Amino acid sequence: MFKNRSMTEVIEQVEAGPDPEAPLPVDISVMSQMFHNNSALVRKFGLKFIEVANDTLVEMKAAQAEKDLLALGRLGHKLKSSARTIGAASFADLCEALETAGVNNDWSGAESLLTKIPPLLERITQQLENEFSKMDE
């Protein structure tokens, strides 16, 4: 969890890029357990997360353009819990770091995080789409 690491450590971990040995960005078992292995609910919740996260990214880009650090922090907070709920801990950590940057008035940290969040969301989207296509088979 971010509370045990500094924002710099979270950013450095993400900047290092995905380790080929690293686990996928979403621990799908978190949703499977939450929904008692009901694949229809796992799919529905996962797709809803992707939709909300992409909409929130649009809001983040607007807040960034307006230099609204407080709004960025609120948007990070908004995504943090739902990311943890689906098992996307590294994404939740970035969102929490963005929330903290907003509270601490750390524009440079926020801008660095804003370059990391979209590609990680893309990895999450790809992973979930792959998982859901396997469920169809």
Side-chain angles (χ1 to χ4, degrees):
M1 220 182 238
F2 178 70
K3 289 178 174 83
N4 297 330
R5 296 180 290 166
S6 71
M7 183 178 345
T8 303
E9 290 171 322
V10 172
I11 292 170
E12 286 172 355
Q13 178 185 353
V14 174
E15 283 178 345
D19 175 354
E21 304 291 316
L24 293 168
V26 176
D27 179 355
I28 200 81
S29 71
V30 171
M31 281 192 291
S32 293
Q33 289 173 1
M34 182 182 356
F35 296 117
H36 306 287
N37 295 315
N38 182 323
S39 60
L41 286 176
V42 168
R43 175 193 309 271
K44 182 178 179 178
F45 201 85
L47 292 174
K48 188 64 174 175
F49 171 79
I50 292 168
E51 177 187 333
V52 169
N54 279 303
D55 290 347
T56 303
L57 280 183
V58 171
E59 293 178 62
M60 285 179 177
K61 288 176 185 172
Q64 182 180 21
E66 295 170 10
K67 304 280 188 209
D68 189 345
L69 194 52
L70 289 176
L72 286 170
R74 284 191 300 272
L75 293 166
H77 175 78
K78 175 182 175 179
L79 280 182
K80 174 182 67 178
S81 296
S82 56
R84 288 210 199 289
T85 300
I86 70 156
S90 58
F91 190 81
D93 287 348
L94 288 177
C95 292
E96 187 171 357
L98 183 60
E99 178 183 13
T100 301
V103 170
N104 293 337
N105 200 28
D106 179 4
W107 183 253
S108 137
E111 288 209 305
S112 180
L113 290 162
L114 289 168
T115 66
K116 311 304 175 208
I117 291 172
L120 185 53
L121 179 58
E122 181 58 34
R123 286 185 61 222
I124 290 168
T125 300
Q126 289 173 356
Q127 179 194 349
L128 291 179
E129 287 174 350
N130 288 339
E131 292 285 343
F132 299 153
S133 70
K134 289 177 195 172
M135 289 178 185
D136 291 337
E137 296 173 358

